[in-house]
Amino acid sequence: MGARTMDRAAAEGFVAAWCANWCKVDIDAVVAHFADDAQMRSPLALSLTGSPIVTGAENIRAYWREAYGHIQSADLKILGWSWDEAIKRLTVWWQLGDVRASEFMDFDDAGRVMRSEAFYGK
């Protein structure tokens, strides 16, 4: 996303790119959307690292390589998304296999993810 401020149109493009990158399991491309000091919270992070929060783009990259680096592709489907302009928050509902999730992402003024949190279910 680079230096582009997020708005609804940019969020729509972000969702498409984010999904395409995850379908290819292109972890570097996904992490490129994150600020250097970003925080990510996930139940999977808790089970793999002992902490629900991963801090820093490089640590997020290492975590995702451990969690997903063994697969070549993923059939991720976007179920819906919404953009909240007031707080610069994108919420995405997605499904991968029988796992359904919602994930929110907060953006900085440069259009990079500074905080995300995922919630999983069936």
Side-chain angles (χ1 to χ4, degrees), residues 51-72:
S51 173
I53 300 172
V54 180
T55 302
E58 289 309 313
N59 291 329
I60 292 169
R61 180 187 326 275
Y63 157 72
W64 277 334
R65 284 194 196 287
E66 180 180 344
Y68 304 107
H70 63 284
I71 61 175
Q72 299 296 313

Side-chain angles (χ1 to χ4, degrees), residues 98-120:
D98 65 348
V99 174
R100 294 173 55 94
S102 64
E103 186 165 345
F104 75 76
M105 293 168 249
D106 295 333
F107 291 80
D108 64 17
D109 291 336
R112 297 186 54 159
V113 177
M114 57 184 237
R115 181 177 39 258
S116 72
E117 185 164 358
F119 304 90
Y120 303 102

Side-chain angles (χ1 to χ4, degrees), residues 3-22:
R4 182 175 182 187
T5 300
M6 289 299 282
D7 57 17
R8 183 165 177 74
E12 184 172 23
F14 177 93
V15 170
W18 182 81
C19 181
N21 293 335
W22 271 119

Side-chain angles (χ1 to χ4, degrees), residues 1 3 13 17-18 22-23 31 38 42-43 47 56 64 70 79 91 104 121-122:
M1 300 276 56
W18 182 81
W22 271 119
C23 284
V31 173
S42 163
S47 68
W64 277 334
H70 63 284
L79 304 174
T91 304
F104 75 76
K122 298 258 179 183

Side-chain angles (χ1 to χ4, degrees), residues 20-99:
N21 293 335
W22 271 119
C23 284
K24 295 183 290 189
V25 192
D26 188 344
I27 293 167
D28 290 331
V30 175
V31 173
H33 296 287
F34 281 71
D36 291 341
D37 59 348
Q39 285 192 336
M40 185 210 64
R41 178 183 287 264
S42 163
L44 184 56
L46 176 61
S47 68
L48 288 179
T49 70
S51 173
I53 300 172
V54 180
T55 302
E58 289 309 313
N59 291 329
I60 292 169
R61 180 187 326 275
Y63 157 72
W64 277 334
R65 284 194 196 287
E66 180 180 344
Y68 304 107
H70 63 284
I71 61 175
Q72 299 296 313
S73 65
D75 188 22
L76 185 81
K77 296 196 178 6
I78 301 298
L79 304 174
W81 64 274
S82 68
W83 172 251
D84 185 324
E85 184 65 38
I87 60 173
K88 291 186 169 71
R89 176 172 285 172
L90 173 65
T91 304
V92 180
W93 294 271
W94 53 267
Q95 185 163 346
L96 182 60
D98 65 348
V99 174

